[in-house]
Amino acid sequence: MTVILSVGVFGNLNIILATLRKKHLKTKVHLLICLMALMDLISIAFELSSAVRMFRDEKEMPRKKCFGFLWVYLTVYDAQMVIGLAVAVDRFVAVSYPMRYLKLFSRIPTPLILLIACFLGAIPVFFAYLNLTDDIIPICNPPLVMPEKVYFYWNGMTMVLVLSIIVIYSAVFVVINRLEKTQKNIRQLKITKTLASMIIAYASTKVIAVITTFFVPLILKDHAFVEAIATYMVLFVSIEYGINYWLLLLRKDDTYRRPFMEQLGLGGWLKKHAWTSDSIQRHGLGSRHS
């Protein structure tokens, strides 16, 4: 798991650095992606600290003490998905109702979205704090630290957020497929492929973890097995923390690929093999503005 998290640190730092360096990445949707990368870094830091405790054989811990370590992580965990939902809605409105998007939705300030995300992420954490007990939990991690009275609400909220993201991206996928039949736009095809990758990524990582940890306790009564499942499902979530970088890198336009390659010292190779993003051409914000 430590290797997976280290790869996530590398990827998310690249996203943040690219956003700071490039003018064309300072639009609202790209700033939201940058915020998601920052929150992923915070989550990775807490997962690495958890890995260190397990390496030191410091697994068991009073619930209150564990909560003191993880309350920021718990807040960021759902806040990051709220921002992911905002990105999904942003893309849906931009593709489906471009004129309304330009007039209304694009004007919603990014700090307001961040504030709403943090507020919603803090709600289950607040109720968890009110229901904390001094019992010993076998491993200090997000699923197990949540009190039983709050656990299903928290996990249910997470599941609703993740499934909503998938549904909205699926709707975007359908809209773009319909547009492609009337508009031969190569860029739309590239976006479609990226969205498909994002859907698969969510379905194969966080969705598996969230749904499993939600339904297993309802079906099985063996607490030791349930705790083991909750612990190992963290692995799937850890993969998700670093996957956005690779999706953006593999996306076949220069919006993110060029800044990423330049940061790796491969700008010269890119000039020989690269294509130019339609979005960068349209705004005249190529590498000369770096």
Side-chain angles (χ1 to χ4, degrees):
M1 187 174 77
T2 303
V3 175
I4 295 172
L5 293 174
S6 299
V7 172
V9 170
F10 169 80
N12 288 302
L13 284 176
N14 267 277
I15 293 174
I16 295 170
L17 180 59
T19 305
L20 293 174
R21 289 178 58 241
K22 296 295 183 178
K23 291 183 179 180
H24 73 272
L25 295 180
K26 289 182 171 60
T27 63
K28 184 180 69 176
V29 67
H30 294 120
L31 289 175
L32 290 175
I33 291 173
C34 181
L35 284 174
M36 291 173 65
L38 178 60
M39 291 184 172
D40 279 338
L41 277 179
I42 294 173
S43 300
I44 288 171
F46 280 97
E47 288 294 347
L48 287 173
S49 66
S50 178
V52 170
R53 288 196 300 271
M54 293 183 68
F55 180 76
R56 294 178 177 176
D57 201 24
E58 300 174 357
K59 299 178 182 179
E60 292 188 352
M61 188 177 296
R63 190 182 301 274
K64 285 186 177 181
K65 182 178 179 181
C66 178
F67 186 85
F69 283 125
L70 297 182
W71 70 270
V72 173
Y73 181 14
L74 294 168
T75 303
V76 167
Y77 183 82
D78 276 331
Q80 191 256 12
M81 281 185 288
V82 173
I83 292 178
L85 180 61
V87 173
V89 173
D90 181 277
R91 294 299 84 201
F92 176 76
V93 176
V95 171
S96 303
Y97 310 101
M99 297 305 296
R100 293 182 183 179
Y101 176 80
L102 292 174
K103 290 180 179 179
L104 299 174
F105 200 82
S106 63
R107 298 182 181 181
I108 299 175
T110 302
L112 178 61
I113 296 175
L114 176 61
L115 182 63
I116 293 172
C118 291
F119 174 75
L120 293 176
I123 291 175
V125 177
F126 174 73
F127 283 104
Y129 173 77
L130 296 179
N131 289 276
L132 284 177
T133 59
D134 282 323
D135 58 314
I136 303 296
I137 55 177
I139 298 176
C140 181
N141 66 19
L144 300 182
V145 72
M146 299 298 285
E148 188 174 349
K149 293 181 179 178
V150 184
Y151 176 82
F152 287 106
Y153 165 76
W154 172 70
N155 218 359
M157 174 181 172
T158 303
M159 184 166 62
V160 168
L161 287 171
V162 175
L163 293 178
S164 296
I165 291 171
I166 292 176
V167 169
I168 294 173
Y169 272 127
S170 299
V172 174
F173 192 97
V174 171
V175 171
I176 290 178
N177 278 337
R178 189 178 71 242
L179 291 174
E180 285 180 343
K181 295 178 181 179
T182 57
Q183 303 175 15
K184 303 299 182 181
N185 192 324
I186 299 300
R187 184 167 178 267
Q188 297 289 357
L189 179 60
K190 296 172 184 176
I191 295 174
T192 301
K193 291 181 179 179
T194 302
L195 292 173
S197 300
M198 295 181 74
I199 293 170
I200 294 171
Y202 270 104
S204 61
T205 55
K206 190 169 288 186
V207 170
I208 295 174
V210 170
I211 292 178
T212 302
T213 54
F214 184 81
F215 285 107
V216 166
L218 296 177
I219 300 171
L220 302 176
K221 302 301 180 183
D222 186 338
H223 291 288
F225 183 74
V226 170
E227 290 169 353
I229 289 292
T231 299
Y232 285 110
M233 284 302 105
V234 173
L235 178 61
F236 286 93
V237 178
S238 299
I239 295 172
E240 190 267 339
Y241 289 149
I243 204 167
N244 283 341
Y245 168 77
W246 303 103
L247 292 175
L248 295 170
L249 178 65
L250 295 174
R251 176 175 169 172
K252 292 190 175 181
D253 67 59
D254 281 350
T255 305
Y256 277 98
R257 176 175 286 202
R258 180 178 293 277
F260 289 164
M261 298 296 276
E262 289 174 352
Q263 286 163 191
L264 294 175
L266 298 175
W269 178 90
L270 194 64
K271 290 179 181 178
K272 297 179 181 178
H273 300 85
W275 43 86
T276 303
S277 167
D278 291 345
S279 60
I280 295 178
Q281 274 188 338
R282 186 167 60 253
H283 292 95
L285 294 173
S287 58
R288 66 181 182 277
H289 292 286
S290 301

